[in-house]
């Protein structure tokens, strides 16, 4: 099982290095361990996250293409769909069949057809369009919904901080 | 798929180089070829078999057990091929095949039998059971059979047959007119419908009641009402003791008492001390709080976590409140402060955690003080102060109550009666707290929540309500069905026993009792009467004599009737039958009311009820009482109101218009429905609802665009925050609410009856003697026609409604009407909020001459008429002094306060409409006591529980002229008049428009084609339209007018915009002006803006109006309209209906045709030819089987056809549903394909060839035997009618006659054989396949999806979906 995962991860890495999507860099943390990746995501333009570079970590399970990886922002960012501990909550990262609320459609969830690239692209689109209806960080949701200016200000400050200013 | 295809598809080389598996991203190898088993394309087209199986296994899907697995992405079934054993023989052994097919036949027969049995039980069995059980109970109650000596018959029929004359069950009249010797299927059929209606209604009623009860009990006000009735269960001291006991079980009662006493004293002292430094503290808190808010989100969250953690403590702290001390306003705050102060010295962790609490408290304090400030601002108004006090007290009371309810819940849920405080870990007095107890939050609490978590009711409920899930596992098995049916019958009998039988028995006993009482009364009255007449002893005997003379003769028949009822207990009348039940139920309700009052007697907020069981009983009783109250109110408002309104509408509008102005014997609505009278209720309900909707729309339009806000304060606005329907209906007394409803209905009724009736009943027929306004078309009960007309009218209404310009013009019209009439009535200030100096008084003239004949010159004679007002005496003096001035302005009326918003609270309104001076001083002080009393009276005992939002309360000062009320009424009359003018004129205009169009169509057709049927029809229509108004014509004209109007309006707006543009460009120097203009436009309200637009529209200053351009535009508009209609949903819906009807019509007629041909001609011919002794073929009376009555026979034929039609309709509806967004053209193709596949093939294969043969052979017959026939129809008639009858036995047969019948037989036989063959081969194939699958199958292997199949479909429907990025 683990061998399949390794093979597939290698393939995905090759694919990513050969044809990298704009604004996304991803690679395993160490050569020996293919199951933990470090990624850099650039904040999409025309959003408060623009200009930011966000570090996040992908942790793959051993039965990887069958179950989804987890994605964690390190450090965490202020976003309605990111838990305070940095974990990202988007439907593509949820295993199928475990939806207690019947909230997400099955085709929106994880399936082996997805890939690291698609996950990261989803994260970029999540950054530009938060979904407050199923928020992970309710403070951020309320801030985003009711006090957009404050939200933008805070995010910009965080962005500056993340860049070391 | 053919076998060569399959082999081609499984070749691994099928996948191109570079293709990868969608799961492992590996390429195809010789061991693991790539497949594309579904419709996915692109980079995820291919997959390894092992990867797929692994993925499926991880989802717990097994390919061997499930018949088909769908792809996650394209949702197409993944193609599998069954692998077979190598030693499978090419030809399967016959025996095996035979037995397996027998088995499968038996299996499917069993399945079908089970399903049809289930359907039978559902459709007929349950209603039959309901019917029989009900009749059984009736028999038991009566002690006699409705049909003597026939138990089963009376069980089934009950009183229906006897009922025919009473008319209470009209359904019986239409359906049950059969001779009862035959098995009557129709009867069972109608039993199904009738009893199902009953069952469904009962179920709906029960569900509605249950939900009502649920809602009522959940309503927060309900808890407060209970609190009001029976008070808290424990006083503060008791509660405290219980908590102590819980915490320190070893403590004895004495020390408990001691501590409790200490606590109370401490509270009192603390309260005094803390009153001073309260404000200071608050400010500090506030700053702290803001600072905290500025910090980053992490901290924010952190804080929230803490808050959550502490919530139970806060809760606990609140437990310590004394419920009966709530007149002391700041109690809460002190308590909290005290806690804070105490905890300052404890350890740091404690500090941390209490910090959170502090913030909670701070928030509360903050909000409290904000509220206070808000109130202080308005404090100069006395009436608001009243509110404020109420609210303060109320809020505290609410808080106390919330807590109390919580306790109650806890206690009720705790079965052993031990009082349990929320989260038993923490309860302890602050003083005795040595360390902060380790509190581990339950996982639900750990979730970050920014606001104060809701009261913990939910959580407690959730904890308590973890019940094992009830597994509903209904299996359709043969034995199960019987069990289910038995269970259903049992539950029906139980249900009827409880709800019908027992109440009837009780009701009977009660009736006996009541009769006894009444008889006693009667006897005593009679005794008294005799006594008084025999001996003139008392003075009041006159009264008795009067009574005896005048009233008694009227009353005694009632007694007689009642006695009759007692003796001859059950007649079959519905009313008498339901009387005992009604009596029993009303007695029970009365008992509930009495007993709940009795239980709560002596208890109130201060004096709480102690007994938990008694409390529970009271809660349930009170809940039922409240539910019934709310139910009655809702029932009246939602059902009774519209039905009555519909009835009145019928009475005043439809009956006079549609039927005949002078015959009121039957209402239109009841003529409309011959089959089932109760359906009239539904129709009236629909009509009434529509009318009310329309009325509300009108009111909304006026409120929004025309009148000053606050005028219509008495009609609830949709955005009124004070609307809490359930709460309102709970709190306010039933009597007042019903009287309010009655009043509003009275107004409605007057509007309807007078508003419509005065035209339809009085004006048109009697005063004007016009027949023009009678719509003759809608009397007929031709369902299709009425349906078409109604849909047409409805869609026309929708269409006209959707046009912005129409709305705009209507608004303009009303604006104008309102302005003019309020000006005339001097109500501008009150109605529109526009204060005109000239309206503030009236002009007096020198004499009548000037007043009536020479007004304008008189007004001109006074230069400063309005600037220099006079009082009447002064004016008279001046008339004398100055002969040149003939008119003076005399101010009158007064300024009053009126609500400035439509959503003011109800209590606030009571302080309105008082006269004030110019600088808003009350002329006389408000009688506050009276107002308060009135408010209290209106709101009843629970009135103080209502918290009306008072933030919109405010008043403005307007001018009201003298005799305000009559002016107001005049205004309403005027509005009514102008509404009528608008309606009638637009109807007439539409009619004229369509008449003109008809005429324009008529002339050319007449010229070109001469007098054909078309021209006749047109002429008829034109004649008709000149004599009567017609709904269809009005709608057509309305649509055309609306479209033209809209087009022209849009066009002018465009020209206007262009002009403005040009204008601005050319006159740059006038920039300032333009800016001003824009500015004005911005400031002005809607009305002004629209006025401007209207002005520009009306002024013909834009000379560049080009006729051809206009024609072009209108052609474009018409085109657009046409396409819109074609692409609109309603058109597609009609398309769907047309195709549906077409399918059914063709299908049914083909089936009938084939059946007729086959039985009459086919069998007739054969019997005639080969069995000569078979004298009477199945001819003419071919349906005359003697076991069934005629109705039953019809049922036998109609039922399968109905089922078939039902099935077709379902399929069609499905087809429509999934394709309804398709362009119309493709939709038609789809429908056509379906029609072709299902019915047309049969028609083409049977009916059309048969007709072809008949026509051919009839022609041949005619031309070969020319001498015997006069014309062709005669031949046909001979063939059709009499060739096979006995009369024509001695006429020799010709070859063509034989051929005709033989060809018919052959064609039908061919069709039958082909179908049977197809069926058998299909069956055989399935059987072979199943045997193979069962015996020789090894497993399944992937198979490629056929590439080129349904290429067109896949292009449009099955593109790979881009996965939407929805987050959780």
């Amino acid at each position: 099982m683990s061998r399949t995962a390794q093979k597939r991860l290698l393939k995905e890495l090759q694919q990513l290095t050969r044809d990298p999507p704009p604004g996304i860099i991803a690679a395993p943390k160490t050569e020996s361990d293919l199951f933990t990746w470090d990624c850099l995501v650039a904040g999409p333009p025309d959003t408060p996250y623009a200009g930011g570079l966000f570090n996040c970590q992908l942790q793959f399970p051993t039965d990887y293409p069958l179950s989804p990886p987890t994605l964690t922002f390190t450090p965490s960012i202020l976003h309605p769909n990111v838990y305070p501990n940095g974990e990202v909550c988007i439907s593509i990262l949820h295993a199928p069949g475990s939806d207690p609320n019947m909230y997400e459609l099955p085709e929106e969830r994880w399936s082996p057809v997805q890939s690291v690239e698609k996950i990261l692209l989803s994260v970029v689109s999540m950054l530009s369009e938060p979904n407050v209806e199923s928020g992970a960080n309710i403070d951020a949701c309320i801030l985003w919904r009711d006090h957009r200016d404050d939200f933008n200000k805070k995010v910009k400050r965080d962005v500056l901080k993340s860049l070391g200013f | 798929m053919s076998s060569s295809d399959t082999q081609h598809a499984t070749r691994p080389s099928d996948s191109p180089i570079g293709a990868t598996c969608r799961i492992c991203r590996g390429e195809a190898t010789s061991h693991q070829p790539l497949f594309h088993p579904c419709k996915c394309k692109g980079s995820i087209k291919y997959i390894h078999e092992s990867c797929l199986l692994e993925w499926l296994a991880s989802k717990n899907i097994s390919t061997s057990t499930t018949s088909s697995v769908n792809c996650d992405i394209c949702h197409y079934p993944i193609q599998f091929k069954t692998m077979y054993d190598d030693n499978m023989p090419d030809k399967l052994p016959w025996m095996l095949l035979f037995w397996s097919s027998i088995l499968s036949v038996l299996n499917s027969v069993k399945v079908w039998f089970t399903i049809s049995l289930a359907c039978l039980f559902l459709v007929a069995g349950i209603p039959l059971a309901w019917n029989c059980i009900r009749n059984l109970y009736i028999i038991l109650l009566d002690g006699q059979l409705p049909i003597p000596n026939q138990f089963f018959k009376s069980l089934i029929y009950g009183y229906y047959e006897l009922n025919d004359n009473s008319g209470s069950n009209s359904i019986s009249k239409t359906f049950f007119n059969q001779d009862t010797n035959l098995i009557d299927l129709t009867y069972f059929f109608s039993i199904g419908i009738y009893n199902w209606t009953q069952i469904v209604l009962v179920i709906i009623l029960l569900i509605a009641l249950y939900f009502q009860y649920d809602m009522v009990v959940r309503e927060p006000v309900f808890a407060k009402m209970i609190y009001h009735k029976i008070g808290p269960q424990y006083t503060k001291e008791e509660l405290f003791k219980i908590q102590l006991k819980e915490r320190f079980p070893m403590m004895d009662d004495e020390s408990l008492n001691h501590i409790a006493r200490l606590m109370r004293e401490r509270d009192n002292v603390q309260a005094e001390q803390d009153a001073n430094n309260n404000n200071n503290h608050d400010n500090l808190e506030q700053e702290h709080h803001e600072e905290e808010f500025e910090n980053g989100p992490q901290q924010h969250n952190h804080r929230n976590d803490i808050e959550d953690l502490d919530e139970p403590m806060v809760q606990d702290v609140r437990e310590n409140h004394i419920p009966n001390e709530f007149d002391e306003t700041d109690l809460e705050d002190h308590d909290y402060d005290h806690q804070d102060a105490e905890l300052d010295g404890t350890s740091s962790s404690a500090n941390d955690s209490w910090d959170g609490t502090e913030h909670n408290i701070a928030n509360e304090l903050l909000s409290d003080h904000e509220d206070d400030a808000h109130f202080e601002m308005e404090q100069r108004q006395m009436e608001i102060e009243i509110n404020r006090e109420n609210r303060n007290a109320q809020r505290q009371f609410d808080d106390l109550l919330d807590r109390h309810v919580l306790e109650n819940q806890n206690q009720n849920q705790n079965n052993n009666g031990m009082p349990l405080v929320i989260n038993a870990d923490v309860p302890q007095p602050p003083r005795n707290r040595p360390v902060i107890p380790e509190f581990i939050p339950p996982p639900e609490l750990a979730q970050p929540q920014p606001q104060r978590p809701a009261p913990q009711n939910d959580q407690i409920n959730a904890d308590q309500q973890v019940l094992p899930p009830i597994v509903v596992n209904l299996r359709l098995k043969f034995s199960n069905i019987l069990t289910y049916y038995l269970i259903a019958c049992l539950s029906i009998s139980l249900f009827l026993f409880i709800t019908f039988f027992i109440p009837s028995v009780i009701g009977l006993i009660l009736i006996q009792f009541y009769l006894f009482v009444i008889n006693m009364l009667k006897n005593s009255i009679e005794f008294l009467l005799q006594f008084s007449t025999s001996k003139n002893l008392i003075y009041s005997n006159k009264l008795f004599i009067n009574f005896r003379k005048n009233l008694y003769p009227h009353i005694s028949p009632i007694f007689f009737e009642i006695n009759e009822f007692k003796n001859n207990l059950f007649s079959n009348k519905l009313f008498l039958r339901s009387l005992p039940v009604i009596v029993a139920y009303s007695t029970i309700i009365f008992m509930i009311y009495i007993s709940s009052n009795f239980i709560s007697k002596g208890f109130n907020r201060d004096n709480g009820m102690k007994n938990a069981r008694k409390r529970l009983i009271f809660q349930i009783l009170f809940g039922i009482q409240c539910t019934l109250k709310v139910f009655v109110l809702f029932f009246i408002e939602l059902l009774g109101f519209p039905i009555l309104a519909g009835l009145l509408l019928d009475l005043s509008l439809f009956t006079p218009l549609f039927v005949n102005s002078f015959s009121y014997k039957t209402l239109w609505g009841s003529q409309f429905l011959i089959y089932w009278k109760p359906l009239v209720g539904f129709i009236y309900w629909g009509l009434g609802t529509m009318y009310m909707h329309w009325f509300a729309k009108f009111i909304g339009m006026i409120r929004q665009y025309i009148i000053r806000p606050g005028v219509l304060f008495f009609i609830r606005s949709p955005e009124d925050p004070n609307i809490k329907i359930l709460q309102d209906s709970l709190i306010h007394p039933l009597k007042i609410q019903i009287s309010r409803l009655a009043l509003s209905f009275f107004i409605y009724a007057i509007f309807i009856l007078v508003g419509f009736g005065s035209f339809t009943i009085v004006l048109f027929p009697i005063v004007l003697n016009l027949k023009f306004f009678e719509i003759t078309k809608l009397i007929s009960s031709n369902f299709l026609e009425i349906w078409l007309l109604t849909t047409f009218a409805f869609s026309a209404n929708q269409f006209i409604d959707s046009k912005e310009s129409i709305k705009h013009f209507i608004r303009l019209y009303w604006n104008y009407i309102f302005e003019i009439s309020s000006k005339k009535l001097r109500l501008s200030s009150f109605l529109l909020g526009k204060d005109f100096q000239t309206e503030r008084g009236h002009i007096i003239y020198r004499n009548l001459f000037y007043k009536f004949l020479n007004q304008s010159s008189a007004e001109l004679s006074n230069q400063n008429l309005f600037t220099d007002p006079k009082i009447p005496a002064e004016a008279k003096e001046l008339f004398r002094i100055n002969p040149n001035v003939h008119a003076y302005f005399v101010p009158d009326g007064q300024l009053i306060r009126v609500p400035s918003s439509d959503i003011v609270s109800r209590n606030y309104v009571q302080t309105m409409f008082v006269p004030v001076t110019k600088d808003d001083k009350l002329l006389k002080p408000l009688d506050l006591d009276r107002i308060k009393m009135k408010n209290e009276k209106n709101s009843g005992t629970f009135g103080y529980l209502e918290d009306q939002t008072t933030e919109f309360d405010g008043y403005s000062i307007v001018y009201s002229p003298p005799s305000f009320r009559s002016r107001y009424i005049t205004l309403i009359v005027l509005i009514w008049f102008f509404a009528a003018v608008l309606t009638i004129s637009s109807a007439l205009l539409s009619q004229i428009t369509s008449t003109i169009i008809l005429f324009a169509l008529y002339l050319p057709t007449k010229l070109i084609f001469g007098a054909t049927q078309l021209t006749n029809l047109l002429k008829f229509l034109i004649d008709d339209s000149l004599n009567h108004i017609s709904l269809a014509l009005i709608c057509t004209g309305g649509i055309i007018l609306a479209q033209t109007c809209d087009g022209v309006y849009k066009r002018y707006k465009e020209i206007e915009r262009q002009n403005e543009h040009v204008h601005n460009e050319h006159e740059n120097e006038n920039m300032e002006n333009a800016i001003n203009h824009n500015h004005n436009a911005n400031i002005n309200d809607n009305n002004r803006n629209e006025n401007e637009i209207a002005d520009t529209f009306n002024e013909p200053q834009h000379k560049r109006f080009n006729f051809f351009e206009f024609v072009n535009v209108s052609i474009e508009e018409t085109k657009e309209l046409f396409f819109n209609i074609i692409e609109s949903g309603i058109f597609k819906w009609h398309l769907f209906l047309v195709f549906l009807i077409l399918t059914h019509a063709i299908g049914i007629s083909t089936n009938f045709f084939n059946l007729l041909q086959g039985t009459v001609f086919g069998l007739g011919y054969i019997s005639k030819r080969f069995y000569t002794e078979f004298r009477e073929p199945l001819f003419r009376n071919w349906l005359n089987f003697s076991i069934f009555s005629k109705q039953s026979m019809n049922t036998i034929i109609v039922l399968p056809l109905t089922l078939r039609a039902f099935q077709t309709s379902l399929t069609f509806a499905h087809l429509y549903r999934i394709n309804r967004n398709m362009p119309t053209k493709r939709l038609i193709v789809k429908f056509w394909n379906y029609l072709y596949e299902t019915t047309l093939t049969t028609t083409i294969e049977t009916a059309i060839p048969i007709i072809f043969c008949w026509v051919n052979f009839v022609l041949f017959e005619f031309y070969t035997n020319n001498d015997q026939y006069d014309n062709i129809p005669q031949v046909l008639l001979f063939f059709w009618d009499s060739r096979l009858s006995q009369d024509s036995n001695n006429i020799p047969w010709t070859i063509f006659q034989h051929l005709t019948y033989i060809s018919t037989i052959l064609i039908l036989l061919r069709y039958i054989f082909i179908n049977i063959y197809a069926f058998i081969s299909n069956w055989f194939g399935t059987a072979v396949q199943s045997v193979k699958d069962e015996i020789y199958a090894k497993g399944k292997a992937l198979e490629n999806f056929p590439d080129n199949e349904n290429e067109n479909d896949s292009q449009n429907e099955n593109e790979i979906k881009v996965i939407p990025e929805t987050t959780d």
Side-chain angles (χ1 to χ4, degrees), chain B residues 1160-1169 1284 1293 1298 1301-1302 1305:
Chain B
V1160 176
F1161 300 117
L1163 293 181
Y1165 177 72
I1166 290 170
S1167 63
K1168 199 89 187 160
R1169 291 298 302 159
L1284 290 176
W1293 284 74
H1298 285 304
Y1301 297 117
I1302 289 172
I1305 294 170

Side-chain angles (χ1 to χ4, degrees), chain A residues 1 4 8 11-12 65-66 76 78 81 84 89-92 94 96 103-104 107-108 110-115 122 125-126 131 134-139 142 154 157, chain B residues 20-27 32 43-44 51 54-56 58-59 72-73 75 293-298 300-301 304 448-451 1361 1363-1368:
Chain A
M1 197 64 82
T4 328
R8 160 139 179 179
K11 288 263 179 192
E12 284 200 42
L66 303 182
S76 179
L78 178 70
N81 302 112
C89 171
I90 46 178
S91 61
I92 194 177
H94 293 162
Y103 197 77
E104 293 157 346
E107 55 261 33
E108 291 173 3
W110 173 256
S111 99
V113 173
Q114 314 296 353
S115 59
S122 305
S125 90
M126 174 203 86
N131 179 1
S134 55
N137 182 345
I138 299 179
D139 287 310
I142 288 169
K154 278 191 181 178
R157 213 164 56 194
Chain B
T20 53
C21 166
R22 72 165 90 147
I23 289 182
C24 72
R25 299 291 152 96
E27 283 162 11
Q32 291 188 318
S43 66
I44 56 167
C51 293
E54 211 172 274
W55 167 236
L56 290 178
S58 80
K59 288 205 297 179
D72 298 324
I73 293 151
H75 297 296
F293 193 72
E294 284 291 303
N295 286 339
Q298 283 94 351
H300 199 70
N301 282 327
N304 285 329
Q449 280 181 332
Q451 288 152 337
K1361 279 182 191 164
I1363 289 136
E1365 261 99 40
T1366 315
T1367 50
D1368 184 15

